[in-house]
Amino acid sequence: MATYRELLDQIRSEIEEIDAREAQERLADGTPPVLVDVRERDEWAEGHIPSAFHIPRGSLESRIEQSAPDRTRPVIVYCASGNRSAFAAKTLEELGYESVASLTGGFTDWKRNGFGFELPRALDDTKRRRYSRHLLIPEVGEAGQLKLLDSRMLLIGAGGLGSPASLYLAAAGIGTLGIVDDDIVDETNLQRQIVHSTERLGESKAESAKRTIEALNPDVTVKIFQERLTSENVDRILGEGWDVIVDGADNFPTRYLLNDASVWHGIPVVHGSIFRFEGQTTVFKPKEGPCYRCLFPQPPPPELAPSCAEGGVLGVLPGIVGSLQANEALKLALGVGEPLVGRLLVFDALETQFTEIALRRDPECPVCGESPTITDYIDYLEFCASGRHHVAS
Ligand SMILES: [Zn+2]
């Protein structure tokens, strides 16, 4: 029976071995070989040769065809020192690969020669556990979770819609959440604004939401803006670079202001609104679908637009609509599925019915149309002829 050393020597005599310089030359060629790193995940995470596929030795036989379907294309395999890759090279030859070379000296020698390597981004073990149910979904996976952790989302309002939206986005690992709210928590909010609590009465809503989110998920950086969105501050706030805005605003001046600003900043807005038993949500994606003004060039007369403070709202309704908004925001961040662009989803809580209404972009739209007539911020309070609709959401 052969010892490990004897077996290794025998394998090495049967395969082609190349040194780091030779490997580097072959990889720089116009039609480079397939490069396969057969080390374990933690070794890969500490750096690897650029352009390499990572297939741990134990998965080589089952996974090599995905990365190298053409058995006539040359393959270079490497590990840390050239031993595991020698066995891997032999295996690939047995699988029918016609030209396989093992990097002698492995990644260690590659680095010693001063050749370049990449440090891949990977989730650490704590994050792998926290987001394990995301990692199991092919449409999310590690790459998707890294995207979420890199994402920046701005919530307008930490009220009825902002509560569930912020909680689910925070739980999902959105790396940076901005919250714009100048209100304080009062007793009438707690029937639906679940990001707050009785002990936070009298506190700033933005501050209260930040504390809840940070307790839920320390991976999330929360940036709060304890101010009402206005023509004066909107460029500064939106200019901080957001991937998605989740609109939980409860009043028409803010809605129109946010619409115009988001069109000009090119940021998609996940819109939501609620009243009594009815909720609506859609996605306003600049250039790809209608904006709020395409649908409603003029605000409704104040007497036809009661707020929750005036008309009431079923407590769970913002929970449903805000969760739908979080779903749309996550899809936009991941680039998966069909977002509600050009589609208004209407939910009737009494009948438990969802209805979808197709929305069209208006070429005559004063903001996103072909010849816009509004190109700078207007007086939104005057435009909406009333400031009394921003009491609660
Ligand atoms: Zn428009």
Side-chain angles (χ1 to χ4, degrees):
M1 193 186 297
T3 64
Y4 168 71
R5 198 75 236 169
E6 289 164 351
L7 184 59
L8 178 62
D9 287 344
Q10 187 201 324
I11 294 287
R12 291 179 71 171
S13 71
E14 292 168 9
I15 60 163
E16 181 190 13
E17 290 188 306
I18 56 174
D19 64 13
R21 185 161 303 278
E22 173 67 21
Q24 209 251 359
E25 278 171 19
R26 291 191 193 180
L27 290 167
D29 189 75
T31 50
V34 178
L35 181 63
V36 179
D37 184 324
V38 297
R39 297 173 302 160
E40 299 304 312
R41 189 171 60 80
D42 54 334
E43 298 176 278
W44 165 267
E46 284 170 18
H48 60 78
I49 301 177
S51 84
F53 291 101
H54 180 223
I55 309 176
R57 176 68 190 86
S59 309
L60 187 65
E61 292 87 341
S62 59
R63 287 177 44 197
I64 184 63
E65 283 175 36
Q66 284 171 26
S67 306
D70 177 4
R71 283 170 160 74
T72 64
R73 188 173 165 195
V75 179
I76 298 175
V77 285
Y78 74 92
C79 59
S81 63
N83 294 348
R84 280 172 289 172
S85 62
F87 288 102
K90 182 70 184 168
T91 299
L92 291 181
E93 284 181 359
E94 287 167 359
L95 283 170
Y97 286 85
E98 293 175 11
S99 167
V100 186
S102 167
L103 178 61
T104 180
F107 186 57
T108 310
D109 201 47
W110 175 272
K111 282 197 295 185
R112 197 158 41 223
N113 274 275
F115 297 135
F117 63 95
E118 285 176 358
L119 279 171
R121 294 186 58 227
L123 297 171
D124 62 29
D125 287 345
T126 309
K127 289 190 174 64
R128 294 189 73 80
R129 273 195 300 280
R130 178 179 284 268
Y131 305 113
S132 63
R133 299 306 186 269
H134 271 168
L135 303 185
L136 290 167
I137 307 175
E139 288 81 357
V140 185
E142 183 161 20
Q145 189 62 52
L146 286 164
K147 268 192 210 170
L148 296 181
L149 287 161
D150 283 342
S151 292
R152 298 170 54 84
M153 294 190 185
L154 181 68
L155 291 133
I156 308 299
L161 297 169
S163 284
S166 62
L167 288 171
Y168 275 112
L169 293 174
I174 297 300
T176 306
L177 283 178
I179 298 174
V180 184
D181 203 311
D182 70 336
D183 211 353
I184 59 161
V185 181
D186 75 40
E187 289 97 328
T188 67
N189 301 147
L190 299 178
Q191 165 251 22
R192 65 203 176 284
Q193 300 185 12
I194 56 171
V195 80
H196 312 300
S197 63
T198 306
E199 65 173 13
R200 308 265 174 82
L201 287 172
E203 279 185 37
S204 139
K205 282 191 184 177
E207 193 65 54
S208 165
K210 178 179 159 83
R211 280 169 59 195
T212 306
I213 289 167
E214 285 176 348
L216 170 63
N217 189 350
D219 293 341
V220 182
T221 301
V222 183
K223 168 113 202 230
I224 60 173
F225 303 88
Q226 289 176 269
E227 49 197 317
R228 170 167 296 273
L229 206 63
T230 66
S231 300
E232 285 68 46
N233 64 20
V234 68
D235 281 337
R236 167 173 54 82
I237 295 174
L238 264 60
E240 293 206 6
W242 307 99
D243 302 306
V244 178
I245 297 172
V246 177
D247 179 14
D250 54 343
N251 64 89
F252 287 94
T254 302
R255 211 168 273 169
Y256 281 94
L257 165 64
L258 177 65
N259 179 73
D260 299 354
S262 63
V263 168
W264 295 329
H265 283 260
I267 307 173
V269 173
V270 183
H271 169 83
S273 67
I274 45 171
F275 181 70
R276 293 191 173 163
F277 294 100
E278 187 181 289
Q280 304 187 341
T281 184
T282 186
V283 173
F284 297 120
K285 196 169 185 191
K287 309 262 181 258
E288 291 184 28
C291 78
Y292 189 73
R293 280 189 194 262
C294 290
L295 314 182
F296 306 107
Q298 297 292 326
E303 61 276 14
L304 294 182
S307 69
C308 293
E310 292 156 348
V313 62
L314 186 70
V316 69
L317 182 65
I320 295 164
V321 176
S323 299
L324 286 168
Q325 288 179 280
N327 182 50
E328 294 305 306
L330 289 172
K331 281 158 55 187
L332 288 170
L334 290 167
V336 302
E338 278 301 321
L340 284 171
V341 176
R343 300 155 60 197
L344 179 70
L345 189 66
V346 181
F347 175 61
D348 178 338
L350 275 183
E351 300 296 325
T352 310
Q353 269 183 347
F354 284 96
T355 315
E356 191 177 309
I357 299 166
L359 306 176
R360 270 188 329 107
R361 198 170 161 198
D362 179 5
E364 309 279 304
C365 173
V367 172
C368 82
E370 282 153 20
S371 4
T373 52
I374 300 172
T375 54
D376 204 352
Y377 301 110
I378 60 168
D379 184 336
Y380 293 89
L381 283 175
E382 193 199 353
F383 175 63
C384 297
S386 169
R388 68 194 177 93
H389 302 296
H390 49 69
V391 186
S393 64

